[in-house]
Structures are given as structure tokens and as C-alpha cells.
Amino acid sequence: MSVVRAERLVNLVLCLLSTRQYLPAESIRKIVAGYSDAPSDDAFFRMFERDKTELRELGIPLEVGRNWSFDKVDGYRIARRDYELGDIELEPDEAAAVALAVRLWDSPELTGAAHGALLKLRAAGVDVDQGVPAVVEPKVRTTEPAFGPLLAAVQARQAVGFDYRRPSPAELRSRSLEPWGVVSWRGRWYVVGHDRDRGAPRCFRLSRIVGDVRLLGRAGTVRRPEDVDLLKFVASSTNEPPETSTVRLWLAKHRAAGLRRRATVVGERELDGEPGDLVELEVLHTDSAASWIAGYGPDAVVLEPDVLRKAVHERLLAVAEAR
């Protein structure tokens, strides 16, 4: 959702909450900032209809009615009794679970929503202690660049295209997808939808998407089947043995100790005039290994396989561009 539309929806909610009378659409057009920008009456009414639908989908109850029997058009308002959060009773362990769930998210797209839920619980009088230390504190990370664009495409019900790196055989292919949703499975994010190239449902791991996600066609054209369970689909599609592979690295002399503890030195070699060791390392899941190896910067260079070398290179470029 764009910032402009989000601000307009907030203003609309505040307006309809602040009145006891039903406000007709023309009055709302004059009061709520953003509607005056509509170039015509038809454009305003289309915008207003979309906003009403959005509010209802968010669970905000719009009342429709007339103040007097001689009124010619319907008006709108939001009754506080229906809008305000009711009494919530959580057991201590349930409140702790809410606090832990808030701490799990590590994403600009999702952190705000999680903390917003926490504020609503506190406003309702629920004592949620977010500072209680956890025995373990995993992070559901959404650092993949494709996450935000794909999530937006799912919400807009719009098809997308992207370049996808297959692990075996190692190659890059262009895919066209009608996305149904984005889900997390075993610490990885996947987008599920109808693959136009194969003419069948497929899931794709976000960490293997290379480059930008491209929007295809018009918004509102993608239809998600009602009977599909995205999580079950991903679980059944990824039920495969671990991706164990041997990688060959160059490590700078006396550097990258963490890698050396797990590697076997097979020789020596100079790289760009710098002495180092050739090592071999067994890894599970080359995607997670790429982030690990990239953390050693210039002290670790992937020689084989090529797909891992490119993955590490992409992560180092992303860090350099962010500075």
C-alpha cells in the first residue's frame, strides 16, 4: 500500500470515528485529505469504493445509514462500540508467547505490524513483558531483497517475473509466476503460486531469486485457489535430502579461523600476490553457506562451485552498495 493511500485511510477512519451522524460521500470528499485530488466525480467514487473495501477487509466495521427519513443518499460512520478493542484475557504463558513472537521478526515490512499488535494488547490492559530474556532467541529473517516486492505483488494480486538460480543443474532461468502467498518454512522464505511457464503450481525459494522482481500485467488479475494450503504445499515440495556438497576455497594465510576449523587444507596458492591455502569444505545448503563465507570478506574466496561463488559475490556487492 502506498504512503498516500495509507494516510488517506487513516484520515478516513478518524473522520468516521469522530462523528455520530452518518456522513454522505460528498461530505467525506470535502473533509478527508486526499479525496480532493480526484480529477473527477467518477474517479472519487472509485477511490472511495476501494477504500471502503480495504477498511472492511481490515476488519473495521463501517455503518451505512441515513440520519433522517427525508435524506436522499446513504451516509457512513464507524461506531466506537464496534471499533474499539474489547476485553482480552491472556494467561501469563500466552502473554509471554505474544512477546516472544514480536521479538522473532527481523524485517522492516513486519516489525511495525508486530509492535502495533503489542501496543493494542497493552492498551487493552494486558501486561505483556517484552523484556523477559528468552532461552533461545531465533530470528525469522526477511533480508532477501525479493521479499518486499513479492509481498506487495501478492497483496495487489499481480503476476511477477524474476530470474531464478537452480541448484542442480546450476543455471539461471527466467520465471513467470502468479503469486498466491509468501510463507516461511524451516527458516527459509518461499513464494507459492501458479507457474505460467510450467502451467502448474510451484514454490520458489526467495534466496535463489537473482536481481529485481518485475511486475507483469495488471493488478487484481491473480486468483488464489480457496482450497490451497501454502505451508503444506511448500512442505511437500521441499521434502528432499539435504544439499550436501564439497566446496573449494582460497583462504588467506592465518585468517578465516572459523572456516579453517571445518575445512581440510589441500594445498597452497597465491591469489593476486597474496599467499594462502586451498581448502575443501563440506556444506549443507549452499545458500546459507554463502552468507557465512561472505562474512569473512576478502579473506575467503570461493573457487568452486560456480553457483556458490556467484552467491557470495552477490552478497558482497549488496553490502558494498548499502554503504
Side-chain angles (χ1 to χ4, degrees):
M1 183 187 301
S2 67
V3 174
V4 173
R5 187 180 181 193
E7 290 179 351
R8 189 175 69 241
L9 288 176
V10 171
N11 291 331
L12 177 59
V13 170
L14 292 176
C15 171
L16 297 181
L17 274 173
S18 302
T19 180
R20 294 184 179 180
Q21 295 183 331
Y22 293 102
L23 291 180
E26 284 297 338
S27 297
I28 294 172
R29 183 179 184 178
K30 297 175 183 177
I31 296 171
V32 176
Y35 287 130
S36 59
D37 298 333
S40 65
D41 291 344
D42 288 341
F44 160 69
F45 282 109
R46 287 196 301 269
M47 184 186 305
F48 186 49
E49 287 299 321
R50 287 196 301 268
D51 288 350
K52 287 191 298 181
T53 301
E54 184 76 29
L55 292 183
R56 291 190 177 103
E57 289 178 350
L58 290 172
I60 298 176
L62 285 181
E63 286 189 351
V64 182
R66 300 184 182 185
N67 299 307
W68 312 103
S69 59
F70 51 80
D71 285 343
K72 296 182 179 180
V73 295
D74 289 334
Y76 305 89
R77 71 182 182 184
I78 299 174
R80 288 186 175 272
R81 65 179 182 276
D82 298 327
Y83 176 77
E84 292 175 347
L85 192 64
D87 294 335
I88 298 178
E89 296 182 2
L90 295 180
E91 298 297 329
D93 58 338
E94 295 173 325
V98 171
L100 178 59
V102 170
R103 294 164 64 187
L104 286 176
W105 294 104
D106 187 20
S107 163
E109 292 87 354
L110 299 175
T111 299
H115 283 279
L118 190 64
L119 288 175
K120 287 184 179 180
L121 289 175
R122 285 175 173 164
V126 178
D127 185 16
V128 179
D129 185 4
Q130 194 179 353
V132 176
V135 178
V136 293
E137 188 170 350
K139 289 287 185 181
V140 181
R141 298 191 180 275
T142 55
T143 55
E144 288 85 0
F147 179 85
L150 286 174
L151 188 61
V154 170
Q155 293 171 340
R157 296 178 21 234
Q158 187 170 6
V160 296
F162 49 82
D163 294 329
Y164 191 71
R165 186 180 65 245
R166 296 184 58 187
S168 180
E171 59 183 354
L172 200 63
R173 287 189 177 182
S174 180
R175 315 303 301 179
S176 300
L177 184 73
E178 298 174 6
W180 299 337
V182 181
V183 297
S184 176
W185 171 250
R186 292 184 176 176
R188 296 184 177 88
W189 286 95
Y190 298 83
V191 58
V192 184
H194 176 75
D195 187 342
R196 290 179 171 178
D197 303 292
R198 299 177 181 176
R202 290 290 188 275
C203 67
F204 297 91
R205 191 188 301 179
L206 267 59
S207 60
R208 291 179 180 165
I209 294 177
V210 179
D212 296 331
V213 174
R214 304 175 296 277
L215 296 177
L216 305 176
R218 294 181 296 106
T221 58
V222 173
R223 294 288 184 269
R224 171 181 167 178
E226 296 182 359
D227 58 346
V228 65
D229 187 316
L230 299 183
L231 203 56
K232 287 183 178 179
F233 183 83
V234 172
S236 61
S237 300
T238 58
N239 188 17
E240 55 188 20
E243 301 172 16
T244 304
S245 58
T246 302
V247 302
R248 185 187 273 282
L249 309 172
W250 175 90
L251 303 181
K253 280 290 186 183
H254 312 300
R255 306 298 295 270
L259 288 171
R260 289 180 178 276
R261 281 196 293 269
R262 302 193 177 199
T264 302
V265 177
V266 295
E268 295 184 354
R269 175 178 168 182
E270 284 192 0
L271 188 64
D272 294 333
E274 173 131 9
D277 296 316
L278 293 177
V279 304
E280 289 184 351
L281 179 67
E282 293 289 330
V283 300
L284 291 174
H285 309 296
T286 55
D287 287 324
S288 57
S291 298
W292 177 40
I293 295 171
Y296 291 93
D299 294 331
V301 177
V302 178
L303 303 177
E304 297 175 4
D306 189 58
V307 64
L308 178 59
R309 181 183 63 79
K310 291 180 178 178
V312 172
H313 183 64
E314 290 166 6
R315 283 158 174 78
L316 293 176
L317 281 180
V319 172
E321 291 172 356
R323 291 182 178 178

